[in-house]
Amino acid sequence: MNMEARVGAVVEGGQRALNSAAAAAHGSILDAGARRFLQQQHNNSHQQHSQLGTIQQLLAGGVAGAFSKTCTAPLARLTILFQVQGMHSDVTALSKASIWREASRVMNEEGFRAFWKGNLVTIAHRLPYSSVSFYAYERYKSLLQSVLGVENHRGNGTADLAVHFIGGGMAGITAASATYPLDLVRTRLAAQRNTIYYRGILHAFHTICREEGFLGLYKGLGATLLGVGPSIAISFSVYESLRSFWQSKRPNDSTVMASLACGSLSGIASSTATFPLDLVRRRMQLEGAGGRARVYKTGLFGAFAHIIQTEGLRGMYRGILPEYYKGRHQFAA
């Protein structure tokens, strides 16, 4: 270590001498070059720290999301089981369904661990979805700012709102499309009851590609993409309206508490409005699963018409109660 220190001191001293001589000879040219070099090094260091912070945020968000999804997995599976009940069941028997009865059936017939069927895929889906969404949002935001000419102008509320809204919607569509096969596999694993057709994640991927082709992994994608825009629009507008109303009536309340409450209510409103699309998505994801015959042969809107005709408007909201409970649990957490 002492030898290395001495060598470092000699090199450093020689470098300083060379710099001094060069400065005496070239004056301001070297100063300008040095300033540019130092600025470049500072920018590179800042960018590296920023990237490191982003990675840490994504990892922390992924871990927190995985923990939250694991806690609410039983409710999520009950939601899926209710959503797909009308596909191959007698409609008259569905009127007797309840959360407690279905939970008891799962416990007695499949065991306690069955409440977490498909949860491993949910966890695997979380990090890539968050990463793609974050990266895509930053790219779309830069593109939109460039197109709208607001990249160097702050304070334009309308333009900033348009950038965030459109960029968020496009990022959501991109992330949903990129990770959709994982979501479909999760639905197929969670919808299995006593008969196990897919033995795991890899087996499900292999079986679906072999029996239904690669595009079989994207069944129901249309319903997913159709719901992104309305979900963001409803959630954002309800949140802003509730927050403005809250602040006008109770200006002294904690802003954190107000934001949490308004966020929870806006999420419930968004879930309620887009739940029929989510139900249709789940059912289309199960089309042809396990070698069963197809039920909805006329596309997305044909599926809507078929469900309303056979199950009524109430059929579009099967599973909405455990979805509400899941949202309330996540809010409390």
Side-chain angles (χ1 to χ4, degrees):
M1 288 297 293
N2 291 334
M3 184 62 182
E4 290 178 1
R6 285 197 297 271
V7 170
V10 171
V11 172
E12 207 174 286
Q15 190 65 46
R16 282 198 299 267
L18 289 174
N19 288 343
S20 299
H26 300 290
S28 61
I29 297 176
L30 180 62
D31 290 341
R35 282 196 298 271
R36 285 195 298 271
F37 175 77
L38 290 173
Q39 184 65 36
Q40 182 179 4
Q41 294 300 312
H42 174 74
N43 291 339
N44 290 341
S45 176
H46 179 74
Q47 185 177 5
Q48 289 174 353
H49 284 298
S50 177
Q51 290 175 349
L52 182 60
T54 299
I55 293 173
Q56 290 175 340
Q57 289 177 3
L58 286 173
L59 288 175
V63 172
F67 179 77
S68 174
K69 293 291 186 181
T70 301
C71 291
T72 58
L75 290 170
R77 186 173 182 232
L78 288 174
T79 298
I80 293 175
L81 290 174
F82 278 118
Q83 285 179 322
V84 303
Q85 274 183 348
M87 290 185 70
H88 303 285
S89 303
D90 183 8
V91 176
T92 57
L94 299 179
S95 59
K96 302 178 182 179
S98 68
I99 296 176
W100 175 250
R101 186 176 287 109
E102 184 64 17
S104 300
R105 185 203 63 78
V106 172
M107 178 74 77
N108 295 329
E109 297 181 6
E110 304 177 51
F112 182 71
R113 291 179 59 187
F115 283 110
W116 281 268
K117 277 186 180 179
N119 186 57
L120 186 60
V121 194
T122 303
I123 295 174
H125 172 270
R126 183 71 184 182
L127 186 57
Y129 181 90
S130 300
S131 302
V132 172
S133 180
F134 181 86
Y135 180 83
Y137 174 73
E138 292 299 322
R139 292 297 172 267
Y140 287 134
K141 184 176 73 172
S142 299
L143 177 62
L144 290 168
Q145 287 175 339
S146 176
V147 170
L148 297 175
V150 296
E151 62 268 24
N152 296 321
H153 302 282
R154 300 283 182 182
N156 189 337
T158 303
D160 289 341
L161 182 62
V163 167
H164 290 306
F165 186 80
I166 298 173
M170 295 173 68
I173 289 173
T174 302
S177 301
T179 59
Y180 190 78
L182 284 169
D183 185 63
L184 181 137
V185 168
R186 181 264 181 126
T187 299
R188 299 232 175 158
L189 291 175
Q192 294 185 126
R193 297 194 176 197
N194 299 330
T195 303
I196 302 299
Y197 192 78
Y198 305 108
R199 296 192 298 271
I201 300 174
L202 295 179
H203 181 259
F205 272 109
H206 177 72
T207 304
I208 293 168
C209 289
R210 186 184 71 242
E211 296 181 354
E212 305 169 48
F214 179 74
L215 292 179
L217 294 170
Y218 289 89
K219 288 180 176 179
L221 178 61
T224 301
L225 302 184
L226 193 61
V228 171
S231 177
I232 294 175
I234 294 169
S235 181
F236 183 81
S237 60
V238 172
Y239 173 80
E240 289 297 327
S241 300
L242 289 175
R243 191 181 66 166
S244 299
F245 179 77
W246 189 306
Q247 290 177 344
S248 66
K249 297 296 182 181
R250 305 175 66 91
N252 297 325
D253 284 357
S254 168
T255 55
V256 174
M257 186 63 189
S259 296
L260 287 173
C262 295
S264 177
L265 292 173
S266 66
I268 290 174
S270 176
S271 296
T272 303
T274 60
F275 192 81
L277 276 171
D278 188 64
L279 181 140
V280 170
R281 170 173 68 101
R282 296 295 184 194
R283 294 198 180 187
M284 297 191 77
Q285 285 178 334
L286 289 175
E287 281 282 78
R292 286 189 170 187
R294 293 183 59 188
V295 179
Y296 311 110
K297 303 177 181 179
T298 53
L300 175 62
F301 296 104
F304 272 104
H306 184 276
I307 294 170
I308 293 175
Q309 182 180 1
T310 56
E311 305 173 46
L313 186 61
R314 185 180 177 183
M316 301 299 298
Y317 286 91
R318 295 193 188 280
I320 190 69
L321 286 181
E323 185 72 11
Y324 284 156
Y325 295 148
K326 183 177 69 173
R328 187 176 66 179
H329 179 278
Q330 289 176 335
F331 168 66

